[in-house]
Amino acid sequence: MYSYDDYDYALVRERVEQFRDQVARRLNGELTEEEFLPLRLQNGLYMQKHAYMLRVAIPYGVLSGNQLRTLAHIARTYDKGYGHFTTRQNIQFNWIQLEQTPGILDCLAAAQMHAIQTSGNCVRNVTTEAFAGVAADEIIDPRPFAELLRQWSTINPEFLFLPRKFKIAISSAEQDRAAIKVHDIGLHVYRATNGEMLLRVYVGGGLGRTPIIGLAIKEDLPWRHLLSYVEAILRVYNRHGRRDNKYKARIKILVKALGIAAFAEEVQREWQAINAGPAEITDQEYQRIAAAFVAPAYEFLPAQNFDYNTQLFKHAEFSRWVARSVIAHKVTGYAAVIISTKPGISAPPGDVTAEQMEVIALLAEQFGFGEVRVAHEQNLVLPDVRKADLFALWQALDLIGMATPNAGLLTDIIACPGGDYCSLANAKSIPIAQAIQQRFEDLDYLHDAGDVSLNISGCMNACGHHHIGNIGILGVDKNGSEFYQVTLGGAQGNDSRLGKVIGPAFSAAEMPDVIEKIITTYKDYREVDEPFIDVVQRIGIDPFKENLYQNSASPQQQPMEVLP
Amino acid sequence: MNNVIALAQSGAHIVEQDPWVFINSETELVEASAHQKLILPFSLWQKCQPDAVLRGEQQSVQGFWLAPEEEEEPVKQWLAVVPLIALQFPSFRDGRAYTQAYVLRTRLGWAGELRAVGDVLRDQLSHMRQCGFTSFAIRTDKSVTDALKGLSGISVLYGRSVIQPLLLFRRR
Ligand code: HEM
Ligand code: SF4
């Protein structure tokens, strides 16, 4: 993985000192809260319901065992013993004291980590997918590009006060697992027929209040121009993005207002003025960074392993876990493993305790090359496990409650912190996720229902990406009470799509029934093993709607609609 | 007292006697003395320049400022005769002037004094400096001595800026 050099170290160290000084000035009143706010946000510090929340960057989702131990240490020392992994390759700590943050940042810096630009109106942590570098369907490792972008965007003086936050995701596999089309800029790296690395650039995607799928602005950008092209987009956005209304300040609104063609023309004009010469990435620099991501020393292993096959055959539970959690690796004899952070009622989606982090760090070293990844679905991933070790790994994960075989299934819920932590929430998210997880504890039922993504957000900021869940749940406030609106048919990945609202919202108590009815309808209509999303695409939302609203004259629904 | 910091060869310093008076509107212009050095809105500046200045044959005594939504391109032909250009930060959170400064410096070749005015605060000064500003009218309720500390910022710049046109990897 990427290791800091003197420049990287100097930058994070100086940044910690700078923030220490800013915190001191805030505490002695030299800085007003208004002046301090953007400074602390650019260091990942939010003010939440109960305390400050610190969001730490996990660039392109890669963690070393030691970094994970550092996070465990922070969780134990400064928080209540756990951290919360998010959909954008960050970890959040919810119980932080302002005075402690410089110390925490110090601790992070020592482990080559930081919280720079994890919030604020600037370029946020650049994300990729959890299987970068190992996925069997990968074209090019996206991590060197993500690291180039991380460096370029870090404290880039021109772009620290943009109209709004700015999110970039990059992927380079046949399947997009980084949700690139719902980012402000989404990048897909591929190879031209002559072998040259090219980028397909999407712009103007995003969820929130106005969900929009990004549009392709450039099909074949030579990789050397990555930074200049992003610079051109940011410059156009910085100049012309709306600042009068924070809900209309995202680049997606600008792209929509101008139309993609006119926007592309503006970017092209800007790009032509800067793309030559010093803005180009050199071969040497690409090689230098890519060298940090060269494949570890894999062994030559046979494709088939007798013990593994026997274990699969003998242990139904193990083989069930393998079916959901083990992902094809590009190296024979190896696999990537999803560690579910969704055990059900015992922990909210994405929550991992300090002890679990420490065990996972150890397992990563014991069964891999010491690396852990953070997935968009709020799960963790061990990227390089020998198939022969899967059984032992599974047993070890089971001991810490992280062997739930539900990756990709209905209970693998993405949920934002919602009303339990977030001061912006209209409704709770975590208890809804847990009630649904509890209802669908039965593994046979769950596996029979197959791939379904269920995403929950506690308000329309859409942190839980509810629009692109096959089933999306959005917390809404109706006259001071919490209700939930359901969307169907959303999807992430190559075929990213926004879900459609199914009808009037439901009460919290109704939610497990609602989901059950949706799954029953799906099962009634599916042909052989047709996945949930395909059925929704084929039959539309009406059959689901009928089944949900026809017989269930739920008392809450009717009056709700007539109230203002 | 304008609370101004300026960059010079010798380093950054507090300007003891800043001559410039910032003018917002025509009314303010009427009130200001004709002998003072004024920073006028660009449209007003154009209106009150002698013909020789407008023809580019004589230096102007007055500078002008651009609002964040104004384009830089139209000022191009006056760059040779204007002594100072100011860019507005209506709020320190409004970053448009960083881009304007960048374009003025790198594309239009403005080499004279570029001043940051408005909500100009200590913690943003190093970014402004990187984007090519050379003087800073610090918000008057803030200590200018204190603000001076904000200019240094962070010593590592990965990307490039007006004062550092090469990406870090080209400087290694
Ligand atoms: C309590 C802490 C949090 C706060 C205060 C917060 C705040 C926000 C806000 C205000 C937005 C809307 C921005 C906009 O659309 O312009 C947003 C969007 C988003 N948040 Fe959070 N968030 C929090 C936690 C999380 C967590 C835990 C996750 C991941 C599970 C997350 C992931 C996202 C994502 C992916 C979006 C993007 C929606 C888009 O594409 O527009 N956030 N957040
Ligand atoms: S979706 Fe809303 S409630 Fe949930 S974390 Fe984001 S801002 Fe908070």
Side-chain angles (χ1 to χ4, degrees), chain A residues 5 8 14 21-22 25 35 38 151 158 160-161 235 238-239 243 270 277-278 280 285 288, chain B residues 72 92-93 95-96 99 102 107 122-124 127 139 142 146 154-155 158 167 169-170 172:
Chain A
D5 65 11
D8 304 311
E14 287 178 36
D21 177 60
Q22 288 165 346
R25 283 189 281 136
E35 290 158 9
Q151 296 194 7
E158 190 182 341
L160 292 170
F161 292 90
R235 189 161 296 131
N238 195 28
R239 308 201 61 147
R243 287 173 205 259
E270 180 58 36
E280 284 182 33
E285 177 64 0
R288 185 184 77 86
Chain B
E72 307 80 38
F92 70 96
R93 291 197 239 191
R96 285 176 286 184
T99 282
Y102 185 88
R107 211 155 299 156
R122 166 176 167 173
D123 292 284
Q124 284 74 39
H127 312 316
R139 214 171 74 191
K142 295 283 179 182
D146 187 40
I154 299 231
S155 69
Y158 285 124
L167 291 151
F169 59 74
R170 290 178 181 272
R172 275 173 189 276

Side-chain angles (χ1 to χ4, degrees), chain A residues 405-450:
Chain A
N406 62 346
L409 300 179
L410 188 60
T411 55
D412 187 8
I413 296 173
I414 295 179
C416 81
D420 292 295
Y421 295 100
C422 181
S423 46
L424 304 172
N426 287 329
K428 292 201 169 59
S429 302
I430 294 168
I432 303 302
Q434 291 182 321
I436 295 168
Q437 286 169 326
Q438 198 170 20
R439 170 70 60 91
F440 296 99
E441 263 181 337
D442 181 73
L443 285 171
D444 289 324
Y445 182 90
L446 209 53
H447 282 250
D448 178 50

